[in-house]
Amino acid sequence: MTSRIEALTPATEGGRSFDGLGYRGLRVRTGSDDTAAEIVAPGGLVTMRNPDGSVRRLRDPGRALERWLLDEGVGNLDPEVVATVRQELAR
């Protein structure tokens, strides 16, 4: 995953805010509780929150990282959730 993230370019925009119901992107936590980083990948923008509180925003053209994360998690996710996310990614 690290090499995929390193291949992304910085995003200049802050991203869209979504306050309604529905798909808000994939959320992944890496590391242990003390060193956990969080990656949120909705709609072509990846937000990384590091344990030190810093935040990085990266562009995800074609939602490639988002698609890869879904493919990697298929065995651990409810099939209905996978189907819903795949529909969202097809838009």
Side-chain angles (χ1 to χ4, degrees):
M1 178 166 44
T2 302
S3 62
R4 291 178 184 275
I5 291 171
E6 288 174 357
L8 302 177
T9 59
T12 55
E13 71 276 2
R16 62 182 168 101
S17 176
F18 183 78
D19 294 329
L21 297 174
Y23 178 71
R24 296 179 188 203
L26 295 172
R27 182 178 307 265
V28 177
R29 288 183 54 123
T30 64
S32 65
D33 288 341
D34 295 339
T35 62
E38 182 180 63
I39 300 166
V40 182
L45 180 69
V46 174
T47 302
M48 295 182 59
R49 290 182 178 83
N50 297 307
D52 65 4
S54 64
V55 176
R56 286 176 51 199
R57 289 185 175 79
L58 305 165
R59 291 182 27 187
D60 182 19
R63 299 169 84 171
L65 181 67
E66 194 173 358
R67 292 173 196 282
W68 180 82
L69 288 170
L70 179 64
D71 289 342
E72 288 297 303
V74 163
N76 297 309
L77 299 170
D78 181 293
E80 289 182 33
V81 170
V82 172
T84 299
V85 174
R86 288 201 193 283
Q87 286 176 344
E88 174 65 28
L89 291 171
R91 292 182 189 188

